[in-house]
Amino acid sequence: MEQLFDLAILGGGPGGYVAAIRAGQLGLKTVLIEADLLGGTCLNRGCIPTKSLLHAAEVYQNAVHSETFGINTGEVSFDYARIAARKDKVVDQLRRGVNQLVKSNGGTILHGYGTIIDAGTISVSGKDAGTVKANKIIIATGSKPFIPPVPGADGSRVLDSNKLLALTECPASLTIIGGGVIGMEFASLFQQLNVPVTVLEMMPEILPEVDIEVARILRKSLQRQGAAIFTSAKVTAIESGEHNATCSFELAGETKTVTSELVLIAIGRRPQSADIGLENIGIETVKGAIPVNDQMETTVPGVYAVGDVTGKIMLAHVATEQGTVAAENAAGGKARMKYNIVPNCIYTYPEIACIGISEEKAKSQGIATKVGRFPVAANGKAMLANDTEGVCKLVSDAATGELLGAQIIGPKATELISGLGVSMTLETTIAEIGATIHPHPTVSEMIAEAALDTANRALHYFRRQHKQE
Ligand code: NAI
């Protein structure tokens, strides 16, 4: 059956389904084509399931440490199968919500695999097979885990994050290849569930994209919690046996091995652009990514691409914004995508949240900055919660005082960062943040204190000897 639409969207992740909602709000007759599960990686195999597991691990740790607060709980244990089942229930509920959101905005959902035939035609195979005709197309097909060409990487005990999330039993021990965002979130999760964890990262520090001071604080914290973390470690082979797998790696010129029940490979993701018919409309990819301009339009007029498949910043909230921009432009608008104020949150324990530019990045770009900092340990609310690891850093322009970036590691970091995003959008100065009354007692006070520290005026902080002006 052939159906005619204003807009066809290929892929129902946070880029695609949000584009469908926005297009519906703007009055476009829209179809969303999804081959697997609505919600994409974020909802089904990423953000939501991992955070559900991490939340359970936090509840467990709170129970284990309840005596600190005078609460007697007796022996504390966890049931991983039930933790996993609860995660699946939450995901299922949210997925049903996505379905309703798209439909309530007038969108049609087709379940099947879409292939672009020409700039106005998509052929759908599978459950809702047929041909879709549309004036505009948004490609939002996402990304998939990258598996390195290491011997044994396809072994029976080696998993990617999709497979690890599907486990209903807690691993007895885990080696994680890649100390990036996925690697460190899983390291933190299983560390908190008492699973022996080893991380093998090839760069000199974990989380190479994050402010080095913040990355170091997390590494040291996880090591204190018991994780083995090897940096500058090059994995050379993985051997899967009946019960265990052994990873061989080179470290400072020596070959070492680590054996664990399972191995997770988390060394990045690649855009999913193959087998969707790009060759039929003449779109050429760059390392798998679909090139787009700041209006999210590809080299073919009327065909847009959003989310991980564009190879920009692979984050759900970036995909969502890109989806909004593309939908508005498909409806005749002139929206533009900006990437300078994108929060980056890492849900480890302690949590990390960054936005804008870091001190090191500013230096490498020749931007003169001032950095105000405040230790979490000096914050009363953090102290009463016995959650005192970390620091809040605010980076501002040395000449104008405008807030250029923030890096927080510590409690509620991922919630605190949004306010700083608003500050950056409004081009707020560091003095204005310092002059804003923050509620007491809250963890957010460390933002005001870090702002005041920029002018050596932090209140609840023992004065340092050598402080920049
Ligand atoms: P990533 O790019 O964050 O980190 C990959 C890490 O693996 C890097 O530290 C890299 O140096 C290391 N590496 C690469 N090759 C290696 C090798 N052969 N041996 C050892 N280490 C090696 O990629 P990751 O963690 O797989 O995440 C994929 C994407 O998903 C990222 O874009 C990330 O931003 C996104 N994501 C975001 C989350 C969040 O916002 N909280 C959560 C999970 C994923």
Side-chain angles (χ1 to χ4, degrees), residues 51 177-183 185 200-203 208 233 266-269 314-315 345-347:
K51 270 81 247 181
I177 301 176
V181 184
I182 293 182
E185 287 188 356
L200 305 175
E201 164 60 48
M202 73 175 185
M203 298 297 279
I267 61 159
R269 298 178 64 92
M314 288 192 181
L315 294 173
C345 296
I346 307 172
Y347 297 79

Side-chain angles (χ1 to χ4, degrees), residues 41 46-47 50-51 143 145-146 148-150 161 176-186 200-209 230 233-235 265-270 308 312-317 343-348 352 414:
T41 299
C47 320
T50 51
K51 270 81 247 181
S143 63
F146 175 67
V150 169
S161 55
I176 298 173
I177 301 176
V181 184
I182 293 182
M184 297 325 294
E185 287 188 356
F186 277 112
L200 305 175
E201 164 60 48
M202 73 175 185
M203 298 297 279
E205 186 52 276
I206 61 164
L207 299 174
E209 293 303 313
F230 296 97
K234 187 172 181 286
V235 178
I265 294 189
I267 61 159
R269 298 178 64 92
R270 291 292 178 270
D308 287 4
K312 300 272 182 196
I313 305 173
M314 288 192 181
L315 294 173
H317 42 278
N344 184 13
C345 296
I346 307 172
Y347 297 79
T348 43
I352 293 175
T414 59

Side-chain angles (χ1 to χ4, degrees), residues 44-59:
N44 300 292
R45 298 171 298 275
C47 320
I48 297 295
T50 51
K51 270 81 247 181
S52 174
L53 296 178
L54 280 158
H55 185 78
E58 185 186 338
V59 172

